[in-house]
Amino acid sequence: MKRSKGSGHAEAYQPQAFDIAREQFGMETALRRAIDRGHLRLNYQPIYDLASGRLVSFEALARWRDEAGAEFLPSDFIPVAEESGLIVPLGRWAIEEAVRRLAEWDARFGGDCGVKIAVNLSAIQLQRDSITPLLQSALTTHGLPGSRFTLELTESALVTDPDRIAGIMHGLKGLGTTIAMDDFGTGYSNLAYLQKLPIDILKIDRSFVTGMLADRDKVAIVRAILSLAQALGMQTTAEGVETNDLAQTLAALGCTYGQGFVYARPLEAEDAYALLENRRH
Ligand code: C2E
Ligand code: MG
Ligand code: MG
Ligand code: MG
């Protein structure tokens, strides 16, 4: 343990490390149970076309409320899921749940409800599981085309075995899905992959977007990503759009889509569906 080196505090830190390990183990056990018992759910955050203001999709974001009623966010449990391997059943559940939900929305709407759902895929999940046949079978079960779904991958997926991930991405594209590179600008610095992989959308990480109006460096980075995407024929989504001014500026800069608290926080499925119904009127 680096911090305790030579400080005489080594003993003080060890029980703490032990507690953290035990807490993680407790969370792992609880998370496994939650997955088995169906205690996870997806919330849906709307994504808008910035030029027209049209609602185009929802990003599915996992939520977990434990038996005592405490609500956990992905930042609490996704790392635990990745370390323990639970990301595989969690990720399978998320894909099947998103497909089932969109089919339900279509049925209630009386036809194609006009939006896509975007599902997050973890790098570790992609290494350990075969996502393409799983998605294909969910699509067949519910009678939906792959073109109704976007898959969000992060650059970390490309680090370990880029050729294998490229194969998976081509397989997913073969189902008609859209592929988005999530948190773009925060990961891998070798941009060569952008030429080789079938990426449709760059999602600009919210660390560059939120607060960019007061920060010329952030504006420079956002502009650079937008022009890179345009040159490569890709679309862009800005995450973390928290104000109207920001939405207008991003639209003026040519960003395709926007997502953030100015429009809506991630919504319960029922509230997300209500947005679809409102749009009809
Ligand atoms: P992400 O994919 O980059 O998702 C966007 C995150 O930004 C969400 O956090 C969303 O609530 C938050 N956000 C959206 N708009 C704003 C805004 O205007 N301001 C601020 N401050 N935040 C905003 P959330 O739901 O906590 O999810 C965090 C991350 O957890 C996600 O980041 C994604 O990487 C991961 N995640 C969520 N659900 C899943 C899942 O089902 N599978 C996997 N593998 N990862 C997931
Ligand atoms: Mg995402
Ligand atoms: Mg993101
Ligand atoms: Mg992000």
Side-chain angles (χ1 to χ4, degrees), residues 3 36 42 46 54 79 92 117 126 135 144 203 238-239 275:
R3 280 175 72 194
D36 289 345
L42 292 175
R54 244 170 48 91
R92 295 191 144 234
I117 289 184
L126 288 171
L135 177 60
L144 287 176
K203 284 195 85 167
E239 348 178 286
L275 278 186

Side-chain angles (χ1 to χ4, degrees), residues 182-183 205-206 239:
D182 207 351
D183 302 337
D205 192 66
R206 97 177 125 81
E239 348 178 286

Side-chain angles (χ1 to χ4, degrees), residues 2 16 35 76 89 131 142 151-152 176 214 231 236 244 250-251:
K2 239 185 189 160
Q16 206 175 327
I35 295 167
D76 302 314
I131 296 304
H142 294 284
L151 298 165
E152 299 194 357
T236 41
N244 273 313
L250 287 161

Side-chain angles (χ1 to χ4, degrees), residues 17 20 29 31 34 81 104 108 130 154 156 182 184 195 237 253 264 269:
I20 290 166
T29 308
L31 181 59
E104 182 206 300
R108 288 170 72 181
S130 307
T154 57
S156 60
D182 207 351
F184 186 75
Q195 302 172 273
T237 302
L253 290 174

